[in-house]
């Protein structure tokens, strides 16, 4: 698995130079021979899983800590395969050693989304890395694709999300694919797994999904477009549950609404568990340019 030369040879930057980090991450996205020749989908998954362990009742987990550096979190079966994403990003960390892993992983997900045609997601730094594994969240907080609607609500309500936000976040399945040697499931959800779009919702609503006959876990297939695409039980739960289904139908029909809602909920996701009470004042989202200037000013004072 070759790392992109442009990223590994990136020049070191000054603390707070997030524009350089963004460029370095973008340069890493082409990965010939890996999945669909792109690291983009797995960067999104890394940011997602690094953040999705949050528990609002105990205020534990979330995007602080970069706990996947330790076996207690990195070895969680739900995180299988994410070592590839972390390895891809090591040249960026080496060239910009001042950025925390927790900030790098979440920023990489945002950069990947935008580079793959998705919306801009508000991002700001300030996450810290655990000095050891004592604060890693317990396993079992991430979604299990073999489950149904009640499981989705249990997992996402714990983080503080509602039904609309659950469906919007599920739209990330427009990207990437499953691997039998990681999750047990196999195949892509869409015909363009490196392009962020409403295709996932359109597939759910317009095609018939039949149970796949194979030796793996229960999943569903459709071959109407000339190749086998797949859906998980949690995906079909979105069209079987009326409260979820209304959002699926909306996002399938309205790209702008989906992009707007996804940017908002993904931005909320990567902020879970981050305490900004001391270092940041509450403020509305800024433009990317203004945000980068603010980030640089904030980091220079630390």
């Amino acid at each position: 698995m070759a790392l992109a030369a442009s990223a590994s040879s990136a020049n070191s930057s000054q603390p707070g130079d997030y524009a350089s980090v963004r460029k370095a991450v973008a340069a890493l996205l082409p990965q010939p021979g890996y999945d669909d020749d792109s690291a983009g989908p797995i960067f999104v998954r890394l940011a997602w899983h690094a953040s999705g362990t949050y528990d609002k009742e105990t205020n534990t987990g979330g995007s602080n800590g970069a706990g996947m550096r330790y076996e207690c979190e990195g070895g969680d079966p739900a995180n299988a395969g994410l070592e590839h994403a972390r390895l891809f990003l090591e040249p960026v960390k080496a060239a910009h050693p001042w950025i925390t892993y927790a900030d790098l992983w979440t920023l990489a997900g945002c950069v990947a989304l935008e580079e793959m045609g998705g919306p801009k997601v508000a991002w700001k730094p300030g996450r810290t890395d655990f000095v050891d594994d004592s604060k890693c969240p317990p396993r079992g907080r991430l979604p299990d694709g073999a489950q149904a609607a009640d499981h989705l609500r249990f997992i996402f309500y714990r983080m503080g999300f509602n039904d609309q936000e659950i469906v919007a976040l599920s739209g990330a399945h427009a990207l990437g694919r499953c691997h039998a040697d990681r999750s047990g499931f196999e195949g892509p959800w869409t015909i363009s797994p490196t392009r962020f779009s409403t295709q996932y919702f359109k597939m759910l609503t317009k095609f018939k999904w039949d149970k796949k006959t194979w030796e793996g876990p229960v999943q569903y297939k459709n071959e109407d477009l000339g190749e086998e695409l797949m859906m998980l039980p949690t995906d079909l739960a979105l069209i079987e549950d009326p409260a979820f289904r209304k959002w699926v139908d909306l996002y399938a029909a309205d790209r702008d609404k989906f992009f707007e809602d996804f940017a908002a909920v993904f931005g909320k996701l990567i902020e879970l568990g981050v305490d900004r009470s001391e270092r940041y004042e509450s403020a509305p989202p800024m433009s990317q340019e203004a945000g980068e200037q603010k980030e640089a000013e904030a980091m220079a004072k630390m």
Side-chain angles (χ1 to χ4, degrees):
M1 185 168 57
L3 297 174
S6 56
S8 59
S9 61
N11 293 325
S12 182
S13 62
Q14 295 298 313
D17 184 3
Y18 293 98
S20 292
V21 178
R22 289 175 182 270
K23 290 178 182 177
V25 171
L28 276 176
L29 296 188
Q31 289 290 338
Y34 178 77
D35 274 1
D36 299 285
D37 297 329
S38 174
I42 201 169
F43 284 172
V44 175
R45 181 171 171 242
L46 176 64
W48 204 122
H49 281 224
S51 307
T53 58
Y54 185 66
D55 176 29
K56 66 179 182 179
E57 295 300 323
T58 60
N59 194 30
T60 57
S63 63
N64 258 335
M68 266 187 268
R69 293 171 297 140
Y70 305 107
E71 173 61 22
C72 59
E73 186 172 343
D76 186 337
N79 290 326
L82 288 176
E83 66 274 12
H84 297 288
R86 301 195 300 272
L87 180 60
F88 285 144
L89 289 168
E90 277 302 312
V92 182
K93 175 64 173 173
H96 312 279
W98 48 266
I99 191 170
T100 64
Y101 280 104
D103 275 345
L104 175 59
W105 295 350
T106 52
L107 179 57
C110 295
V111 172
L113 277 168
E114 189 173 345
E115 291 292 320
M116 292 187 290
K120 290 184 179 181
V121 175
W123 179 92
K124 56 185 177 181
R127 295 163 191 81
T128 57
D129 292 336
F130 294 151
V131 296
D132 57 43
D133 64 2
S134 62
K135 293 185 178 179
C136 286
R139 296 183 180 184
R141 289 188 176 184
L142 293 167
D144 177 356
Q147 303 299 319
D150 57 347
H151 170 77
L152 286 175
R153 289 194 171 95
F154 173 76
I155 293 292
F156 285 91
Y157 284 8
R158 188 205 70 234
M159 288 186 264
F161 294 114
N162 59 31
D163 286 356
Q164 171 264 317
E165 292 170 317
I166 292 172
V167 177
L169 275 176
S170 298
H173 283 176
L175 301 170
R177 61 176 60 238
C178 288
H179 303 77
D181 61 347
R182 301 179 192 177
S183 64
F185 303 106
E186 183 67 40
W189 286 270
T190 70
I191 59 173
S192 53
T194 62
R195 190 71 182 170
F196 193 78
S197 69
T198 59
Q199 193 180 121
Y200 167 74
F201 296 115
K202 292 181 184 296
M203 296 286 190
L204 273 174
T205 56
K206 293 185 177 181
F207 292 99
K208 183 177 183 295
W209 296 92
D210 299 311
K211 187 177 291 187
K212 181 176 181 176
T213 302
W214 72 319
E215 295 182 357
V218 173
Q219 67 178 68
Y220 300 84
K221 69 173 184 176
N222 179 278
E223 299 175 305
D224 289 353
L225 297 178
E227 64 177 289
E228 184 175 307
L229 302 175
M230 69 96 200
M231 290 287 171
L232 307 178
T234 46
D235 297 315
L236 292 190
L238 299 183
I239 57 174
E240 294 166 350
D241 183 283
F244 286 149
R245 178 63 189 253
K246 68 178 183 180
W247 295 107
V248 173
D249 290 337
L250 174 62
Y251 293 146
D254 192 333
R255 174 187 179 277
D256 291 344
K257 177 61 175 171
F258 169 53
F259 275 40
E260 177 186 356
D261 286 356
F262 186 87
V265 73
F266 198 81
K268 177 179 175 179
L269 172 71
I270 60 174
E271 282 289 300
L272 295 179
V274 184
D275 181 5
R276 302 197 176 278
S277 58
E278 295 182 1
R279 287 186 282 184
Y280 292 90
E281 297 178 359
S282 178
M286 305 177 191
S287 67
Q288 180 175 331
E289 294 76 13
E292 289 171 355
Q293 178 63 33
K294 182 71 173 178
E295 292 162 4
E297 292 172 355
M299 290 299 292
K301 295 177 182 178
M302 295 180 187

